[in-house]
Amino acid sequence: MPKFYHAVSLALLVALTQTSCSTTKAAEQQTDTSAKAESSERAKPASRSGLKSYSEVITKDAISDEGVFTIHKVGDKYYYEIPDSLLQRDFLWISRFANLPSGLGGGYINAGSAVNEQMVEWQKFADKIVLKTKSYNAYAADSLPISLSVKANNYQPTLYAFDIVALTPNSPGYVIDVTKFFLSDVKAFSGLDADMRKEYKVSKLDDNRSFIQSAKSFPLNIEVKQDFTYDATEPPSNSATGSISIMMNQSMVLLPKVPMQPRINDYRVGYFNINQYDYGSEALKADEKSYIRRWKLVPKDIEAYKRGELVEPVNPIVYYLDPATPQKLRPYIKAGVEQWQEAFETAGFKNAIIAKDPPSPQEDPDFSPEDVRYSVIRYVASTTRNAMGPSVSDPRSGEIIESDIIWYHNHLRSYRNRYLLETGAANPSARTLDTPMEDLGEMMKEVITHEVGHALGLPHNMKASSAYPVDSLRSGAFTQKYGIAPTIMDYARYNYVAQPGDKNIRFVRQLGPYDHYVINWGYRYLPEAKTAEQEVPTLAKWIEEKANDPMYRFGSGSGGFDPESQTEGIGADVVKASTYGLKNLKQVAPKLYDWTAAQTNDYDDLQELYGELLGVWSRYIGHVVTNVGGVREERLKPNQEGYIYNPVSAKEQAASLDWLLKNAFSSPEWLNQAKISRNIHHANYVESIRNLQARHLNNLLSPDRMARLMENEVNKVNYNALDMVRQLQRGIWSEVYSGATIDIYRRNLQKAYLDRMDYLLNEKPGKSSRYGTPVDISQSDIRSIARGELVQLQRQLKSARTRHANDLTRYHIDDAIVRIDNILNPQNS
């Protein structure tokens, strides 16, 4: 029965036999000439000393499998037959888990997870064949003299050396024994990294319990499965055995001779990328080049494509469902994959991405989810609540050649819980543990679409969710058309802004305008551009045409300083959005018992959801914290007007801190639902609130935030670090000024404040660079401010202590006075 080949294989096979459209005849002739010379040099026969005849090694009992290399199994030995023509060719080697024990790596590693990805080449040296790593991080064209220095100063490791045991009879080539190699614990291909070996106390690979499971050769790849058992005194599971057994899948893929024409990355648009240093550049340095990671899509009919017609690609992107996927979920997973067809149509392609059921053994006896020829939606039996969308790409060009989407079995529970908590006030469908399958299916579809987006080359775009006016998210017409954010690649999962009574609201995220824009930017075929550089003017023009429309902005969310680029946020005004969110949460909290324990006669779900409710409350608070000392980032090039970094206005920062004092640092009595707290824990509620409030307080008083506030002085923003600390201190200690009794929540919070001031004043001098905002605490205004404000606070406390009749309040004030003495004079404490 013929083997079933994936579209990726066909794409690579075509690439192997064709030259790039940008290759000139002269370049082709030069390549052919040098290739012939190289082949002639490699074809010189090796010394026959110690070599056996081919028939002595590959006997009549050999089981042979022809492919990129022919594999022979003779008894318990495995041999590779390597054609001379494939020496010094680029291969991509991917090491994956095929099977693994429960709990390995903390639950975020699963069958199908890649543990290493590296480019290799096979070379002949004397009477040996050596396997070496190869890198394109540093390069220069072979025609340039500097290429000699690049090679000399970037010498790559030898992974293994094989004796040549025989020569091939009918064409130049070499036979090597790979048995020992695949039965050895070679670190570059192992599933157990150094941290795992240390954590599980791995001593050695047990040779007696390790073997080669299978080795198969295909036209462009080889797949080998190894069954390894290690001696380990503290394994992640089955501790009585004192061992860890894993099955590894080693994929070796032949890359095209001519790489795909890359597309130059532009940081104003979101794509994962590969970076290279070009030492042949005319710049006065090694020129760093960045190319986006994307699949190779070429129209079948280029002329029709030029006319603006939708055209199918020569090789579409194909995803197969894992055979382990439950039948009832398959339609939603397929819909999640194929939802991207809409965006690819914007780029001129139809049927560019397709989801298929796994082939039956009759259709393809060689199908394996670990096989790099197949991109698979892996369904993982794990309690982990997550999903991922990794991919494998050609390090020379950024061409994605395979990806596996990972879906963990328990992930829908997380979405069920968030759906109930964040939308339950306005969405009757969410007020149950038995969420309708239609709603769950919609959530799953959108998660799959998000993860496939990663596999298409798209990173998170956390900036996008700040594009829409907050009140537009309460409009049915708006949300049904535009969703709750312009992209599926943001962490804008649910519409927590919509209020009870709002009609026809879209509550779940969906594909948006940015997704169409970014796929067109990265995937539209530009037939007139013969080099990556020739594409740049067109690509830049597309970006600048959308520059003033917030729906097409990109921001990674890294750095933690931009309030418009945050995880889980929605809407252009974080204060307003969080106000709506808290208003909804205050309606959900009293109903939580009725929606859970009252229905199930069990407290487990109630306990789980209440813990997550506290997390949702904390998340809304955190969004507003980022406004204080916040800096909005606009990704611009010098030919565009404006500044990249723009501090949040003084008015917004002061108003945000005032909001925090009222909503984050006041006593949250509404969270103390007796039916909940007194049924799920004997004593934990007060400590949970203290922990969350202290976390946000410490975040406000972090050195990196204070560094940005100090910069406001030179940026002419009339709100600096002293203004913030003074406003915060007066709010945290408001009872000292008013004479009110200080309750338990506030006493805890005030002690947390003193601990943080102690940290700022007495931490060992050094540079704090959290979130990339470096500051030397000991040589900045931070300690001056902390000392000055603590002196003021101590004076107020001494004056106020006699005004408080409540013993516990007075004892707390006395304790605070002593604590401040110890902070200001640590040598006396």
Side-chain angles (χ1 to χ4, degrees), residues 810-823:
R810 195 167 60 253
Y811 293 164
H812 169 68
I813 290 176
D814 288 344
D815 179 62
I817 292 169
V818 174
R819 285 177 183 239
I820 293 174
D821 265 334
N822 292 335
I823 294 169

Side-chain angles (χ1 to χ4, degrees), residues 727-797:
Q727 182 184 359
L728 178 64
Q729 180 168 285
R730 187 170 185 88
I732 294 291
W733 296 88
S734 61
E735 296 90 344
V736 173
Y737 304 96
S738 68
T741 298
I742 308 175
D743 67 25
I744 189 170
Y745 306 107
R746 298 281 290 177
R747 293 195 300 269
N748 286 348
L749 179 65
Q750 289 165 5
K751 289 181 174 71
Y753 177 86
L754 295 179
D755 282 351
R756 190 60 177 178
M757 296 298 272
D758 186 16
Y759 165 81
L760 292 175
L761 196 56
N762 296 314
E763 179 74 5
K764 184 178 179 181
K767 290 185 178 180
S768 171
S769 58
R770 184 187 179 207
Y771 294 145
T773 308
V775 57
D776 189 321
I777 297 176
S778 67
Q779 295 182 19
S780 74
D781 285 336
I782 291 175
R783 290 193 169 166
S784 305
I785 293 168
R787 186 179 302 279
E789 288 305 299
L790 278 179
V791 169
Q792 293 293 328
L793 176 60
Q794 189 182 53
R795 187 178 297 125
Q796 292 294 332
L797 289 167

Side-chain angles (χ1 to χ4, degrees), residues 705-724:
R705 188 177 311 281
M706 296 184 75
R708 294 194 296 275
L709 284 159
M710 289 185 291
E711 294 246 345
N712 282 347
E713 184 176 334
V714 296
N715 288 324
K716 310 303 180 187
V717 178
N718 193 27
Y719 188 82
N720 59 32
L722 176 57
D723 296 325
M724 187 273 284

